[in-house]
Amino acid sequence: MKLQVFSTIILALVAATSFAQGEKKDSITTFHDIDSVVISDNGKQVSVMIKGAKNGKDAEFLLNEPSKYVEKQDVNYSTSINEFRIFDRESADQTKPTYHLSCNLGLDLGMIRNESGSYAKVNSFQSAEISWLNALKYTVEFPHRRNALSIGLGFTWRNFRRTDDRRFCSTDQETFYIGSYPEGSKPKFSRFKVFSISVPLLWEHTYRTEKTAKGNYRYKFQLGPVLNFNNYSSVMTRYDLNDKTITEVAKPDQLVPITLDLYGAIDIWKGLGIYARMAFTSLTDVTHSYDYLNHMTYSSAPEMHPISLGVKWGF
């Protein structure tokens, strides 16, 4: 009896699907005595075979349908709590990759250390980095969904800060250097800010899954380069002099247009993890000259070579 009901449901679904696609409506065949129902899927074709008796005679029903990609154009939630899918291209065949375009709300917040020596040192616990690397993200998931390759589009904001007796200086757009405060002044802080458009190219590996109320949640590891298009910088210095607070602001034009970082992140607990990021080159355009008389090396600008470590929300 159960097999009879099951086969009737299958045939009804087939007829409804064909009608929705504008095809000729199939008739529903009822088997009174069912011997077997066999459903097979080889990744390319789905087959349903029903054997039994109809009107006292042996009969069978065979349905063959090819497996097809399913495309979704509407926005929907993915298995990540902070990701909104804009476009999906999925395959029922687990041996083929899947593709999706999404908006990822994950943010990175970290502390910066400048690895260029004491000349351009910064306060690590006061220098910060905020990045939204995957405001727009295109992902290719490889078979079995454990590994993926993604390319994103986002931004990075870096703020280098120092509070000692030296400061960032810029008398015009062509000069950027480390200088001293006016005599008799009381330093408050000096900072150098850089804004970049970032394009990450990351390999992602899913190392664990966990079931939640909304489905399976994936824990990930990410590693890859980040291309930065540096398009804005500014210098601000604040100090007290003669019972007045003085603020100086300048916009030096000493940025290297394109820089490359190495990025790595690991998901620890439900979308919250840690990340590390290291710049391969300086953010500032540094040209060196050597004074053979005094045996000293001079540079046109302080070298800003950041290494950051912090927390990451959202994978």
Side-chain angles (χ1 to χ4, degrees):
M1 181 65 182
K2 292 182 179 180
L3 286 174
Q4 181 178 348
V5 174
F6 179 68
S7 62
T8 303
I9 292 174
I10 291 176
L11 294 174
L13 290 174
V14 172
T17 303
S18 299
F19 179 77
Q21 294 176 348
E23 298 175 358
K24 183 180 178 181
K25 185 176 179 180
D26 296 337
S27 60
I28 298 178
T29 302
T30 301
F31 290 80
H32 300 286
D33 297 311
I34 296 178
D35 296 327
S36 63
V37 177
V38 179
I39 302 175
S40 61
D41 183 1
N42 61 5
K44 296 182 179 180
Q45 183 172 266
V46 179
S47 300
V48 180
M49 170 69 76
I50 302 175
K51 292 183 178 181
K54 178 184 177 183
N55 299 326
K57 298 181 181 180
D58 292 337
E60 65 179 34
F61 174 81
L62 176 62
L63 169 68
N64 292 316
E65 285 290 333
S67 297
K68 298 179 180 180
Y69 280 102
V70 178
E71 296 190 6
K72 303 175 183 178
Q73 296 291 344
D74 55 323
V75 177
N76 60 85
Y77 292 100
S78 72
T79 53
S80 178
I81 60 176
N82 67 297
E83 186 179 67
F84 297 91
R85 296 283 177 88
I86 301 173
F87 169 81
D88 270 338
R89 184 182 175 93
E90 299 181 357
S91 174
D93 187 353
Q94 293 293 315
T95 63
K96 294 181 179 180
T98 62
Y99 312 88
H100 58 261
L101 179 67
S102 62
C103 175
N104 191 297
L105 303 181
L107 292 176
D108 296 352
L109 176 62
M111 298 178 297
I112 303 177
R113 175 183 173 87
N114 188 21
E115 292 296 314
S116 61
S118 59
Y119 174 65
K121 68 178 181 180
V122 297
N123 296 52
S124 297
F125 291 99
Q126 296 184 21
S127 300
E129 174 184 76
I130 300 176
S131 58
W132 184 15
L133 293 182
N134 290 310
L136 197 63
K137 178 182 177 182
Y138 185 76
T139 306
V140 179
E141 290 188 2
F142 297 108
H144 308 298
R145 313 299 188 261
R146 286 288 181 178
N147 295 287
L149 189 65
S150 68
I151 183 169
L153 179 64
F155 71 85
T156 300
W157 175 85
R158 291 183 171 113
N159 187 57
F160 301 89
R161 183 183 175 102
R162 58 188 302 162
T163 56
D164 57 0
D165 58 351
R166 306 286 286 176
R167 62 172 180 161
F168 298 110
C169 298
S170 178
T171 55
D172 53 57
Q173 288 189 346
E174 301 300 324
T175 60
F176 177 49
Y177 59 96
I178 302 295
S180 59
Y181 284 88
E183 186 176 352
S185 64
K186 183 180 179 180
K188 285 193 170 184
F189 71 87
S190 183
R191 65 110 175 106
F192 174 59
K193 181 172 64 177
V194 179
F195 180 83
S196 311
I197 301 296
S198 299
V199 180
L201 179 62
L202 302 178
W203 165 70
E204 301 179 356
H205 175 70
T206 302
Y207 62 91
R208 200 175 84 193
T209 59
E210 176 182 299
K211 276 205 166 185
T212 65
K214 292 184 178 180
N216 291 331
Y217 183 79
R218 300 182 178 186
Y219 292 80
K220 292 182 179 180
F221 171 78
Q222 298 175 327
L223 181 67
V226 178
L227 193 65
N228 301 296
F229 297 89
N230 308 308
N231 51 21
Y232 177 81
S233 67
S234 69
V235 171
M236 175 184 287
T237 300
R238 185 168 294 166
Y239 57 90
D240 292 335
L241 181 63
N242 298 328
D243 298 327
K244 294 182 179 180
T245 299
I246 299 175
T247 301
E248 296 179 357
V249 180
K251 297 179 180 180
D253 188 17
Q254 293 287 325
L255 285 179
V256 177
I258 301 175
T259 56
L260 188 66
D261 300 342
L262 178 63
Y263 179 90
I266 185 169
D267 189 357
I268 296 177
W269 181 75
K270 293 186 178 181
L272 187 64
I274 58 175
Y275 83 95
R277 187 171 175 178
M278 181 186 71
F280 287 110
T281 57
S282 174
L283 295 174
T284 52
D285 188 5
V286 180
T287 55
H288 298 280
S289 60
Y290 186 74
D291 186 347
Y292 291 93
L293 182 61
N294 297 312
H295 302 285
M296 296 181 64
T297 301
Y298 298 94
S299 61
S300 59
E303 185 177 356
M304 308 305 294
H305 195 165
I307 294 179
S308 57
L309 178 66
V311 295
K312 178 181 180 68
W313 178 79
F315 280 72

